Amino acid sequence: MLTGFLKFGCQLLCCGVICSAPLLSSASAAPKPAPKSEAKAEEHAHPEVGPHKGALIELGDEEYHAEILFDEDKDLVTIYLLDSAAKVAVASDAKEVVVNLKHDGKGVQFKLKAVPMKADPEGKASRYASKSAELMHAMHEKDAKPQLRVAIKGKTYSGKIEPHDDHDHEHKEKK
């Protein structure tokens, strides 16, 4: 009788484990995390344009952004350094930022000098500018592939500058 009772108990125990296994696995299954790209997009959501209505440049893994503006009437290119949300100015102790690109098939480097804003700490700048017809023209070349290089808090960042061809006007010829 004892062996029959043990056999019956083992059957009940096995049935209980097998029958409850699906319940345990579905109850303990955690929801799948969002893919990294979605999570990153939510974490680093930022506007499409900067606070000065210029195009944004991603620096690092969206640690910072830069905003680039073109004033073609003055041949002036201005770059503002911004935080990860592309909203707040970030000052750097760099005296210049560099735009590297191809111009007439050759690698060229243009330096934009620091032009501190009133709110920038002494000896630092969040705005950089260059008045250069050559830079303005080179930015419009088809295969220029411009890149911004800047040092912020002791680290050098590089970011791709998107082509500057989203406007509907003629470029005046310089004499």
Side-chain angles (χ1 to χ4, degrees), residues 138-155:
M139 293 293 289
H140 289 85
E141 287 187 17
K142 182 180 177 186
D143 293 319
K145 299 180 182 175
Q147 293 274 330
L148 172 66
R149 289 187 50 85
V150 59
I152 303 173
K153 296 182 181 178
K155 185 176 176 183

Side-chain angles (χ1 to χ4, degrees), residues 7-42:
K7 187 176 178 183
F8 178 72
C10 285
Q11 289 173 341
L12 279 176
L13 181 61
C14 290
C15 180
V17 169
I18 293 170
C19 293
S20 64
L23 295 174
L24 290 174
S25 64
S26 64
S28 64
K32 290 183 181 178
K36 284 186 180 182
S37 59
E38 288 177 25
K40 188 174 186 174
E42 289 175 18

Side-chain angles (χ1 to χ4, degrees), residues 23-114:
L23 295 174
L24 290 174
S25 64
S26 64
S28 64
K32 290 183 181 178
K36 284 186 180 182
S37 59
E38 288 177 25
K40 188 174 186 174
E42 289 175 18
E43 183 180 319
H44 291 288
H46 56 76
E48 293 294 314
V49 296
H52 305 94
K53 308 296 183 226
L56 291 177
I57 303 163
E58 183 180 317
L59 299 173
D61 191 18
E62 291 201 59
E63 293 171 67
Y64 297 100
H65 288 85
E67 176 184 13
I68 189 165
L69 286 97
F70 300 93
D71 184 340
E72 295 191 41
D73 293 334
K74 297 177 183 176
D75 290 323
L76 183 65
V77 177
T78 305
I79 292 178
Y80 294 90
L81 302 181
L82 303 168
D83 65 356
S84 62
K87 294 180 181 179
V88 178
V90 172
S92 170
D93 58 0
K95 302 298 180 212
E96 61 192 19
V97 299
V98 176
V99 173
N100 294 310
L101 53 79
K102 284 188 176 182
H103 178 51
D104 292 330
K106 298 176 185 169
V108 181
Q109 188 174 78
F110 293 92
K111 295 178 181 179
L112 286 75
K113 300 289 182 199

